[in-house]
């Protein structure tokens, strides 16, 4: 069972207190745990983004936004369009990262390209950091190592790759 780190739980409480709108995915793990917390607050300002016909998780019975996958998409690519749309609509982000998931790293990059802040709870390092731009994202990936960066680059669109320095 996945558990959100205590600072992420506190941050979600602050988001609720400030009455920010929340855009969230429908995945098991961090998405479902954050949804459970928001549902426990009976928080209404939530939209659940999903690629399938129905959300896999929508614990507060919130508005659901279907972002279809490209025809024939498999694996990571099934949810990539959904994740891009959430990054496009968001003003800022919050991610819980295991320090190794290239998909989460690319989601942080999408926000960084648009100069939108993203708070990252890095479970592997037991740290919290905020990215504001692509340079911050590159620094985050230096801690993860070259393998994670290569894996992340394999998941990027050509435009996302062009945003990287050098």
């Amino acid at each position: 069972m996945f558990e959100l780190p205590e600072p992420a739980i506190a941050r979600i409480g602050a988001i609720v207190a400030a009455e920010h709108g929340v855009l969230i995915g429908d995945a098991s793990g961090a998405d479902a745990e954050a949804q459970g917390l928001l549902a426990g607050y009976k928080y209404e300002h939530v939209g659940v983004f999903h690629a399938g016909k129905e959300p896999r998780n929508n614990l507060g019975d919130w508005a659901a936004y279907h972002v279809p996958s490209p025809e024939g998409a498999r694996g990571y690519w099934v949810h990539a369009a959904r994740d891009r749309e959430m990054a496009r609509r968001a003003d800022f982000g919050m991610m819980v990262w295991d320090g190794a998931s290239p998909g989460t790293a690319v989601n942080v990059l999408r926000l960084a390209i648009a100069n939108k802040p993203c708070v990252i709870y890095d479970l592997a390092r037991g740290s919290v950091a905020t990215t504001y731009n692509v340079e911050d994202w590159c620094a985050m990936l230096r801690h993860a190592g070259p393998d994670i960066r290569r894996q992340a680059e394999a998941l990027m669109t050509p435009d996302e790759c062009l945003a990287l320095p050098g």
Side-chain angles (χ1 to χ4, degrees):
M1 166 122 169
F2 183 89
E3 287 188 30
L4 292 172
E6 196 56 47
I9 292 169
R11 177 69 55 118
I12 291 169
I15 289 168
V16 168
E19 298 187 2
H20 290 298
V22 175
L23 312 178
I24 194 164
D26 66 334
S28 298
D31 286 352
E33 288 300 307
Q35 281 192 25
L37 195 57
L38 291 161
Y41 281 116
K42 298 192 179 350
Y43 197 58
E44 297 179 3
H45 309 295
V46 179
V48 178
F49 284 69
H50 61 100
K53 289 191 187 327
E54 297 294 327
R56 295 170 290 178
N57 291 289
N58 186 348
L59 303 180
D61 197 28
W62 298 294
Y65 300 92
H66 180 238
V67 182
S69 304
E71 189 71 34
R74 297 280 179 265
Y76 165 84
W77 300 103
V78 170
H79 304 287
R82 173 206 67 186
D83 292 343
R84 277 194 301 278
E85 181 62 13
M86 283 194 297
R88 187 186 71 75
R89 291 187 187 202
D91 295 323
F92 60 89
M94 180 183 127
M95 310 270 177
V96 177
W97 188 43
D98 62 5
S101 166
T104 302
V106 174
N107 289 337
V108 174
L109 175 65
R110 291 179 180 127
L111 293 163
I113 289 170
N115 296 305
K116 296 176 180 180
C118 183
V119 177
I120 301 106
Y121 297 93
D122 185 335
L123 301 177
R125 297 178 57 228
S127 64
V128 180
T130 303
T131 57
Y132 295 94
N133 53 42
V134 173
E135 291 74 26
D136 293 343
W137 183 85
C138 291
M140 178 186 101
L141 265 285
R142 273 194 292 281
H143 294 295
D147 289 346
I148 304 303
R149 172 128 182 191
R150 276 193 294 278
Q151 291 171 31
E153 287 175 357
L155 301 178
M156 293 177 193
T157 64
D159 285 346
E160 290 163 352
C161 286
L162 287 173
L164 299 178

